Amino acid sequence: MAKLEIDYCGVKFRNPIVTASGTFGFGYEYNEYVPLEEYGGFSAKGLTRTERAGNPAPRIAETPSGILNSVGLQNPGVEVFAKYIMPELKNSFDTNVIANISGNTIEEYAEMAEILSDTDVAIIEMNISCPNVKHGGLAFGTNASVVEELTGEVKKHCKKPLVVKLSPNVTDITEIAKAAEAGGADGVSLINTLLGMKIDINTRRPILANNMGGLSGPAVKPVAIRMVHQVYNAVNIPIIGMGGVMSGADVIEFMLAGAKLVALGTGMFRKPDLILDVKRDIEAYMSRFKIEDINDIIGQVQLN
Amino acid sequence: MKKIYSCELIMKTELCRGVYDYVVKAPEISELAEIGQFLHINCGGKTLLRRPISICDFGEGFVRFAFQVKGEGTTELAKREVGDMIDIMGPLGHGFKTTEGEKAVVIGGGIGVFPVLGLARRKNTAVFLGFRNKDMVVMEDDFKEACDNVTICTDDGSYGYDGFAIAAMGEYLLENKADIIYCCGPKPMLKAVKQIAEHMNIPCQLSLEERMGCGIGACLTCVCKTTGTGMAEHKQVCTCGPVFDAKEVVL
């Protein structure tokens, strides 16, 4: 039997498949289609220090092989999550929960990390790259020295493995990844969405109420694969790869590029039970190439 | 566990130019369906997202829905022929909440008439359907078979009542009592109906539409603005709706 287990920052994942924050709510919705135990874990909806109403609708638009979204971090706030949602998740499901946090200031990030450190979350994912909020993480995520300082400060308050989520909207993602590592990050996840825009030519207005939004889906996958590959060669901390995964083949591709865990996202909107196909395809791939342990393929792309 | 169904298209009719009426074999969906719920349909082709389409009717083993060809998804869906399989999630969302014995007014506009057909079958119901012109009048026979008090209205007066369905409904409400108003239609109609209902102090339910992602409440993209505050200022149309109490939403 092929081994799918992954050790990520000391946390055991029964398989390398997780979900991308913001696409999976707090897990309950998709649990109605596939038990959450089928995943290695999931990243919950992005949290902020206090609750946020998010942006007006329309918040989503389809583009060629992708979608733009601009939800604007609508969430109940970190304390509601820590006090009510996480204990309930812990009681109901046997899976790893990754909490995703966004802040306006270093202090906010630190407070959130502290609050979540006293919960049963497996990992804290620090979003420094949300493109959809005015004073949001993107400003943090594009400056290497700020990333190092922020990561270092948050790390002091964080008793869980800290994963920094990187923005693709930068000139050189390896600089940011190295800065996160230097600041003490236990891992990095990438890519967040690419800032995009779609205009209705009849009304001459953008489709999204917020005008711009984050692009995800198969359209961004080659960019994500390239960045995972570059970051894998630049740092020694493990990577959660994501961006347009629609199949088991895509997961394998991310792992060959260097990802240790791979997140599903937009693909689940069309196929809520995507995880089942993905796992079946991975197992078929492993038996075809006689791979006994999925860990053996991580970063194993052979360059020309 | 909820499932995704592959449903055979068993009847396809073009109701008017670019508006299609589909009946699919879907025993699991029809068994659970309620009036006002929707289907989340994988239209195929190059589309990535599913498209939410309201259930028009359902019965033993079948579900019926109708749609207007507007963008890429509906263009693709319109290419399906009888015998083809269609990938459908559903029934999803919350439908209309009806009370037995109530005297109801049902108002629908354009393609918004489809989800209210089931409501027209109930006793003590007056139905007002608005269309742009005579050529765009759809499902008149279905509604007249369902209810003996149906007023068809056209904006340009080319057929039936000359003017907006809202005006016809307003005239009716001046003479007749109603316990509730149910509405599905374009935003200006929803707004006007909400205003009239509030002015006349009649409970009212509106079926809303919004660009949608997952369809099951997880992605938070298809929200509408509500009277709530904080996180509750926006509610998912897919799971909290698509039918809302008119008093709850801000249009």
Side-chain angles (χ1 to χ4, degrees):
Chain A
M1 188 64 190
K3 180 176 176 274
L4 285 174
E5 289 94 51
I6 298 275
D7 180 311
Y8 188 90
C9 302
V11 180
K12 296 260 176 297
F13 285 75
R14 58 170 70 86
N15 64 55
I17 322 298
V18 293
T19 69
S21 179
T23 63
F24 207 65
F26 290 116
Y28 292 99
E29 298 84 359
Y30 279 97
N31 183 60
E32 298 201 7
Y33 288 85
V34 178
L36 291 184
E37 284 78 8
E38 293 284 343
Y39 303 81
F42 72 90
S43 190
K45 174 69 194 159
L47 301 166
T48 48
R49 183 65 187 85
T50 52
E51 71 174 334
R52 280 183 63 95
N55 296 332
R59 291 175 169 184
I60 189 167
E62 186 166 310
T63 57
S65 297
I67 62 166
L68 289 169
N69 91 80
S70 179
V71 171
L73 291 173
Q74 180 177 348
N75 81 95
V78 71
E79 283 174 79
V80 169
F81 175 80
K83 216 180 265 177
Y84 303 106
I85 300 173
M86 189 56 221
E88 190 61 34
L89 287 171
K90 168 79 180 167
N91 283 337
S92 312
F93 309 109
D94 174 23
T95 192
N96 294 315
V97 179
I98 303 170
N100 177 291
I101 55 171
S102 283
N104 292 316
T105 61
I106 291 180
E107 290 71 33
E108 272 189 15
Y109 277 108
E111 276 174 33
M112 284 191 276
E114 209 163 277
I115 292 166
L116 290 167
S117 287
D118 295 328
T119 68
D120 286 308
V121 304
I123 286 174
I124 296 174
E125 182 182 48
M126 184 164 74
N127 183 3
I128 54 165
S129 48
C130 182
N132 292 331
V133 292
K134 277 206 178 76
H135 308 287
L138 190 55
F140 288 106
T142 53
N143 182 322
S145 61
V146 175
V147 170
E148 184 174 342
E149 188 197 346
L150 172 66
T151 309
E153 264 321 298
V154 174
K155 188 67 188 162
K156 283 184 207 160
H157 299 264
C158 187
K159 288 182 243 159
K160 306 277 182 182
L162 181 65
V163 171
V164 177
K165 186 161 186 178
L166 306 178
S167 171
N169 304 305
V170 294
T171 311
D172 182 357
I173 196 162
T174 64
E175 289 303 312
I176 311 294
K178 282 189 232 170
E181 185 179 37
D186 299 288
V188 284
S189 61
L190 61 147
I191 57 174
N192 205 322
T193 53
L194 280 146
L195 196 56
M197 187 171 181
K198 180 176 180 176
I199 300 167
D200 181 330
I201 59 166
N202 297 312
T203 62
R204 299 188 178 189
R205 284 177 179 276
I207 305 282
L208 297 175
N210 197 40
N211 298 321
M212 289 182 266
L215 180 65
S216 64
V220 312
K221 198 190 77 178
V223 176
I225 295 284
R226 185 261 296 178
M227 288 184 164
V228 167
H229 168 68
Q230 288 178 317
V231 169
Y232 180 76
N233 288 309
V235 300
N236 291 310
I237 48 177
I239 297 167
I240 306 177
M242 69 197 78
V245 174
M246 301 296 284
S247 67
D250 292 342
V251 172
I252 300 288
E253 195 179 346
F254 268 100
M255 295 189 84
L256 288 170
K260 200 165 196 185
L261 296 174
V262 180
L264 311 180
T266 306
M268 293 183 294
F269 294 176
R270 182 159 75 187
K271 221 174 169 322
D273 58 357
L274 180 62
I275 179 74
L276 300 178
D277 287 4
V278 163
K279 279 168 68 177
R280 199 191 50 227
D281 292 353
I282 291 173
E283 279 167 10
Y285 176 87
M286 289 174 77
S287 89
R288 185 168 150 225
F289 289 96
K290 302 195 168 42
I291 299 158
E292 280 167 22
D293 184 346
I294 193 76
N295 286 278
D296 294 343
I297 71 164
I298 297 167
Q300 294 308 302
V301 58
Q302 306 293 315
L303 293 183
N304 301 318
Chain B
M1 284 288 135
K2 288 185 183 169
K3 284 191 183 137
I4 303 152
Y5 301 102
S6 185
C7 306
E8 187 187 344
L9 179 60
I10 52 177
M11 222 171 85
K12 174 181 181 176
T13 318
E14 189 168 10
L15 295 175
C16 69
R17 217 186 131 176
V19 179
Y20 292 90
D21 180 2
Y22 279 16
V23 178
V24 293
K25 209 185 274 181
E28 297 92 345
I29 298 175
S30 65
E31 198 180 327
L32 298 170
E34 287 170 21
I35 301 166
Q37 286 187 298
F38 73 96
L39 307 172
H40 212 23
I41 301 179
N42 180 351
C43 297
K46 288 181 180 168
T47 59
L48 181 59
L49 294 173
R50 289 170 179 270
R51 300 295 191 268
I53 295 177
S54 279
I55 293 171
C56 167
D57 203 359
F58 53 91
E60 192 70 42
F62 76 89
V63 173
R64 179 181 179 193
F65 59 90
F67 62 95
Q68 182 172 33
V69 173
K70 265 189 175 169
E72 212 185 322
T74 43
T75 300
E76 197 58 45
L77 188 57
K79 290 180 190 165
R80 302 287 93 79
E81 296 299 339
V82 169
D84 287 353
M85 305 304 280
I86 303 177
D87 172 347
I88 301 178
M89 285 166 70
L92 298 177
H94 288 92
F96 293 98
K97 289 184 198 75
T98 56
T99 311
E100 214 162 310
E102 67 189 359
K103 203 167 172 331
V105 164
V106 170
I107 175 166
I111 56 169
V113 305
F114 305 134
V116 298
L117 176 61
L119 294 173
R121 295 210 179 95
R122 304 173 67 241
K123 275 183 199 153
N124 295 320
T125 298
V127 179
F128 301 88
L129 305 177
F131 302 96
R132 210 166 286 161
N133 55 53
K134 190 183 176 187
D135 293 339
M136 297 182 83
V137 174
V138 286
M139 285 196 187
E140 182 179 4
D141 294 345
D142 290 272
F143 275 94
K144 290 202 164 151
E145 196 189 310
C147 175
D148 52 17
N149 189 1
V150 178
T151 308
I152 306 279
C153 316
T154 51
D155 300 355
D156 67 354
S158 53
Y159 187 72
Y161 178 92
D162 183 357
F164 291 136
I166 305 154
M169 180 190 82
E171 286 169 18
Y172 173 85
L173 286 174
L174 289 176
E175 306 284 325
N176 301 274
K177 189 183 154 296
D179 298 318
I180 187 152
I181 303 172
Y182 300 106
C183 175
C184 182
K187 206 154 195 184
M189 174 185 267
L190 295 170
K191 263 186 180 172
V193 169
K194 176 179 155 73
Q195 235 169 25
I196 292 169
E198 273 161 21
H199 181 72
M200 299 185 80
N201 209 15
I202 304 171
C204 176
Q205 293 176 25
L206 307 173
S207 176
L208 306 189
E209 184 177 48
E210 189 50 72
R211 286 173 186 267
M212 199 173 277
C214 69
I216 58 173
C219 74
L220 299 180
T221 53
C222 64
V223 296
C224 64
K225 196 168 161 55
T226 74
T227 51
T229 55
M231 165 114 179
E233 186 186 322
H234 292 117
K235 283 193 174 175
Q236 298 101 312
V237 169
C238 64
T239 46
C240 300
V243 178
F244 288 88
D245 184 323
K247 280 196 182 125
E248 194 190 355
V249 294
V250 179
L251 296 173

